[in-house]
Amino acid sequence: MRLLHLLPLAPFILQAAPPVSLEEATSQMLDAFDDGCPPAALPRPSVIAKERPSLAWLRVALSEPQPQNPFPKAHRSHAEAERTRALLAATPDRYSALLATVQPGLAGSFAALWRWGQARARGGEFSVAQRHGWEDLLADPKSPMVVRGWALRHALCFALAEGDETRLAALKTTFALDLPDFFQTFQRAFALLGGPAPRFYAWTLPELKPLDLSLSRLGFRVYISF
């Protein structure tokens, strides 16, 4: 009898969650990725049918080194995905030319280019000009805010590590009005370059005698990593 009572409710119990906007679905996936969620465990929000290829492109961009193109050839975004894939598969001698023509507009394209370029920068494959071009491409206002944040932090970390005040000034001129919080900490850090090492306050045990030493005297080295 209990089962018979539940049968009329079955359509409501099994009904899928209503679709969300592509923007909301994109934010859910990128925020989860930014929080360290493994690609296989990323959220799977539901979107309307015409937005599914764009969301699929973002998913493979966050999980595959050479993502497959989910767009039909007649789709308006097929060519963009192919340009992105061409850059991901390119040899270093073609980086500059392809970076100038890739023209990303989809969240998946920006995400794929972030993962690709981050690996190139860590591996020392970029020239300084190529790295700057890649960072500026991802920090474009068309890029999702999460990816813009990744790109700007990357650019500012490298500028600080290299003591490149010209690069800091260029980034500040272009992006500081939209993202002022990114620049305050780095600007203060630039002021420390060439000055004495920061001081480190500690106490010995068991006497609790205070020590006032610079990091350099303690033998520490500071690394900036992203």
Side-chain angles (χ1 to χ4, degrees):
M1 292 294 292
R2 291 181 181 176
L3 178 59
L4 292 176
H5 286 302
L6 288 174
L7 284 177
L9 299 176
F12 301 96
I13 295 172
L14 299 176
Q15 186 176 11
V20 299
S21 68
L22 179 61
E23 182 179 6
E24 171 62 24
T26 296
S27 295
Q28 289 181 26
M29 292 178 66
L30 286 173
D31 287 345
F33 185 85
D34 190 38
D35 288 339
C37 180
L42 288 173
R44 294 184 174 273
S46 174
V47 295
I48 60 175
K50 71 176 184 178
E51 306 291 9
R52 288 171 192 164
S54 296
L55 196 61
W57 178 232
L58 175 60
R59 182 174 298 280
V60 294
L62 292 173
S63 58
E64 300 176 9
Q66 181 62 22
Q68 295 300 307
N69 188 342
F71 299 101
K73 288 187 177 180
H75 196 283
R76 66 183 184 277
S77 296
H78 183 271
E80 177 182 327
E82 285 302 298
R83 290 194 302 270
T84 303
R85 282 164 39 82
L87 178 54
L88 302 187
T91 52
D93 60 297
R94 300 188 63 211
Y95 288 170
S96 296
L98 292 176
L99 278 167
T101 60
V102 65
Q103 298 179 329
L106 298 166
S109 302
F110 284 110
L113 291 170
W114 162 254
R115 295 180 67 231
W116 167 82
Q118 188 186 34
R120 305 287 85 74
R122 286 178 174 174
E125 295 181 37
F126 278 154
S127 68
V128 172
Q130 287 170 341
R131 192 184 75 235
H132 288 180
W134 166 72
E135 291 165 344
D136 292 345
L137 183 71
L138 296 187
D140 186 275
K142 296 190 300 292
S143 181
M145 185 59 70
V146 173
V147 180
R148 292 186 75 193
W150 295 341
L152 278 175
R153 283 193 294 270
H154 191 281
L156 289 166
C157 283
F158 266 90
L160 180 59
E162 296 168 349
D164 189 345
E165 296 189 22
T166 300
R167 176 64 170 159
L168 173 67
L171 291 167
K172 187 175 180 181
T173 298
T174 306
F175 301 110
L177 288 178
D178 293 334
L179 300 165
D181 293 343
F182 274 92
F183 292 86
Q184 295 177 1
T185 300
F186 284 93
Q187 189 118 19
R188 289 194 292 267
F190 262 90
L192 298 174
L193 295 178
R199 304 198 71 79
F200 183 82
Y201 299 95
W203 290 263
T204 62
L205 293 174
E207 300 89 354
L208 291 180
K209 180 181 178 181
L211 297 175
D212 181 2
L213 302 171
S214 69
L215 290 176
S216 58
R217 286 185 59 192
L218 290 170
F220 293 150
R221 299 181 68 184
V222 178
Y223 293 89
I224 298 174
S225 177
F226 190 82

